[in-house]
Every structure is written in C-alpha cells, then in structure tokens.
Amino acid sequence: PGEPVTLSLDADGYASSEKGGLTPPVEDLIITLAPASKVMGKVQDIESRQPIVDFSVAVSRARSAGGGGGMMSFRMAGPQTPFHDEDGLFTVEEIDPGKVSVTASAPGYKDATLADLEVPEGANLEGLVFTLERAVMVSGVVIDDRGRPLAGAAVEKKEAGPEFGGVRFNSGSAGTAVTDGDGRFAVMGLDRGTVTLSFTHPDFEPHDEEINATRDVEGLKVSLSRGGTIPGMVLREEAG
C-alpha cells in the first residue's frame, strides 16, 4: 500500500472539498459536492444612510499551517471584487462554507470589516450591511533643509501598538504615501482626530508630525534635515 494522500476537488458552481486519509489504491470512491454559496449585502454612508454606488468587497478566511507545536493561524484575503450599483447592493459568488470575514472599501471612506461570519453549507449569507465612515486626507510637501522639494520620502501613519505597548506602523496603502518629484504627497484613509505622520528618507533624519485632522488638511509643509557627521579614524591595535 502507498502513503495516505488528500484529494482536493474544485468544480464551477460548487464548494471546494477535501477528502483526506486515502491510501491508494482506492476504488469506487464517491464524493458529494455541495453548491457554492453567495455573500450578499449593501454598502451605505454612515451619516446620510444613502447607498455608496462605487465600492469593492473582499471575502477572507482563516487558515492554519504547520504541525505539532508549530501550528499557526493566518488570514487569507480574497480578491477585491469591484461593484457599481445605484442601490449599493453586492453579491459575491463562489464562496465556500465556513467562517469568513468580509471587508467593504470605497474611495474617500475608511474600510469596514465584519468578522467571524458563518457561511452555511448549501445556502447563502445574506443581509450584510456596511456603513462606511468618511476618511480624512492630509496633503502637502516635504522639503530639505535648504528649502528644496524632496522626492522619495516615505510618509506613514504612526500608531500605538497595544499588544506590545510600543509603536507599530500602519500596513497597506491606506495611511501611506511617497513624495513625488515635486516633494508632494497625499495620505488618504485616515481616522478623524489627532494623527501622527512619520516622514523618513534614507539621506535625512526622520521626523514625526502631529496633526489635528478633524477634516481634510491641505498645504502641510514638512522640512527634513540631514544628520550630522562625526569625523574620525578607526585604528587597529597591534597584537603583542
């Protein structure tokens, strides 16, 4: 007999399935596939409650990998599916049953996620409602200590990391930017309120700027200075 194998099956319109513990040769194996499910809902503005017409929806699920004491869980993000609907309605098809997280995003809004949702086997997950809050944008220019525009400077939202009590940086495209050839930048997707932006460049000292961003902020000017140098010589002590 051969080693045990796991058989994976995928078919259009059906949920994917796995059958493990099969030791070849195997005869007269029957595997029944359940119809794939759909995730359905609507996306609307949190203040006006009016539908958002252009948006994207992504479905992700948790996966485990490793073995023994080295098992670890991670979330596999699904593709962003774009929608244009006057009523803000969406339907994401070909979804396998099980626990999922669904994220809705739209230009000018903060992303919203509904986590730990159960997609039933052979049925649809319906009635999801996403109420998106408008995001804040901070734009401006970065210059060097001589007043010249500085290209290639990274701008990133700085956040407290409660799990470590230290500092972590925002991940993803929201809350990040790189200055263009004229030193200009625009950081989008920020929460309303006080935010701290970190400005870094390989040839200059980093700089943090605290900003009161209760609304869009334009025309911010940030200057980066070069680090100082200490001249000297390194000598090697002769043995003996």
Side-chain angles (χ1 to χ4, degrees):
E3 294 291 328
V5 298
T6 298
L7 185 64
S8 298
L9 298 100
D10 290 283
D12 291 341
Y14 292 88
S16 59
S17 177
E18 286 189 353
K19 182 72 173 178
L22 302 174
T23 303
V26 178
E27 298 180 1
D28 300 325
L29 177 65
I30 298 176
I31 297 178
T32 303
L33 298 182
S37 300
K38 300 177 182 179
V39 174
M40 308 166 70
K42 67 182 299 185
V43 181
Q44 62 188 23
D45 184 282
I46 195 172
E47 294 178 357
S48 67
R49 300 292 170 171
Q50 293 300 307
I52 296 173
V53 176
D54 293 292
F55 57 92
S56 297
V57 176
V59 179
S60 61
R61 63 178 66 243
R63 299 286 189 190
S64 297
M71 290 293 293
M72 81 179 165
S73 245
F74 58 95
R75 186 163 297 280
M76 291 189 63
Q80 290 270 356
T81 304
F83 291 93
H84 175 85
D85 188 275
E86 295 297 329
D87 297 318
L89 301 177
F90 68 87
T91 299
V92 183
E93 302 185 1
E94 302 288 333
I95 303 298
D96 292 341
K99 290 278 189 184
V100 299
S101 294
V102 184
T103 300
S105 57
Y109 289 86
K110 291 167 51 182
D111 294 355
T113 299
L114 298 177
D116 296 326
L117 303 174
E118 186 71 32
V119 177
E121 184 173 351
N124 298 326
L125 176 61
E126 303 180 66
L128 302 185
V129 178
F130 291 89
T131 52
L132 303 190
E133 180 182 357
R134 287 195 176 272
V136 171
M137 178 182 71
V138 175
S139 61
V141 62
V142 177
I143 59 176
D144 63 15
D145 44 13
R146 297 183 181 179
R148 299 174 299 189
L150 185 59
V155 188
E156 197 163 15
K157 179 184 176 184
K158 204 171 185 180
E159 300 179 294
E163 66 274 18
F164 301 109
V167 169
R168 65 181 174 85
F169 286 96
N170 182 64
S171 61
S173 58
T176 65
V178 176
T179 57
D180 63 14
D182 295 322
R184 299 192 178 278
F185 67 90
V187 181
M188 297 176 285
L190 299 174
D191 296 339
R192 295 178 184 272
T194 302
V195 297
T196 300
L197 295 182
S198 176
F199 296 81
T200 57
H201 189 283
D203 300 326
F204 293 82
E205 289 293 308
H207 173 75
D208 290 345
E209 186 84 11
E210 189 175 277
I211 303 158
N212 182 21
T214 54
R215 61 176 63 188
D216 288 348
V217 176
E218 299 178 354
L220 181 68
K221 181 177 286 187
V222 175
S223 177
L224 298 186
S225 60
R226 293 184 183 274
T229 59
I230 301 177
M233 180 182 296
V234 177
L235 301 177
R236 183 179 65 181
E237 182 178 1
E238 295 293 339

